Amino acid sequence: MRQLKVVMLLSISGSASGQDLAHALGVGLGTVTGIVDRLVAHGLVSRHEDPQDRRVRRAELTPAGAALIEEINNAGMEHYQRIMDHLDTETLRALDHAVRAIRDVADKLSND
């Protein structure tokens, strides 16, 4: 599960240092090193020097890692679409109204 979380974090951030990943996962740097080592061995992640600080190694997704994220997202969307296909128009309108209300509150909170 931690490996998947690292892949997801890298898909969002583009790249991350070991310290960044350790902080996000709530684990030590040694644990992150092992997780990233396994992802590198599977061809999902690569490591490179940070151009601003050569002491720091950054991890980023390989094309295979990006393809895995795309597969996960597509599977989720297909499942979501199957659910939506079974809802009637009235329910979809109510759902739309609820989602808009939630978004409005979230926007308001982020502006405060």
Side-chain angles (χ1 to χ4, degrees), residues 45-82:
V45 170
S46 65
R47 288 187 177 111
H48 63 280
E49 269 184 11
D50 186 315
Q52 276 71 42
D53 186 346
R54 293 185 339 199
R55 297 170 296 173
V56 176
R57 305 268 301 156
R58 298 191 70 79
E60 66 182 19
L61 291 181
T62 62
L68 174 63
I69 288 295
E70 188 173 340
E71 274 183 55
I72 291 168
N73 288 336
N74 287 343
M77 286 303 294
E78 288 172 11
H79 181 69
Y80 179 75
Q81 184 62 47
R82 283 195 312 269

Side-chain angles (χ1 to χ4, degrees), residues 80 94-104:
Y80 179 75
L95 179 60
D96 179 59
H97 179 73
V99 169
R100 288 175 191 269
I102 291 168
R103 188 183 65 215
D104 290 345

Side-chain angles (χ1 to χ4, degrees), residues 5 9 12 27 34 39-40 51 61 63 65 67 72 75 77 83-84 89 92 95-96 100 102-103 105:
K5 190 166 184 181
L9 288 167
I12 293 166
V27 298
L39 291 168
V40 168
L61 291 181
I72 291 168
M77 286 303 294
I83 292 169
M84 292 294 148
T89 303
L92 289 171
L95 179 60
D96 179 59
R100 288 175 191 269
I102 291 168
R103 188 183 65 215
V105 169

Side-chain angles (χ1 to χ4, degrees), residues 11 13 44 72 93:
S11 76
S13 65
L44 300 172
I72 291 168
R93 284 188 180 130

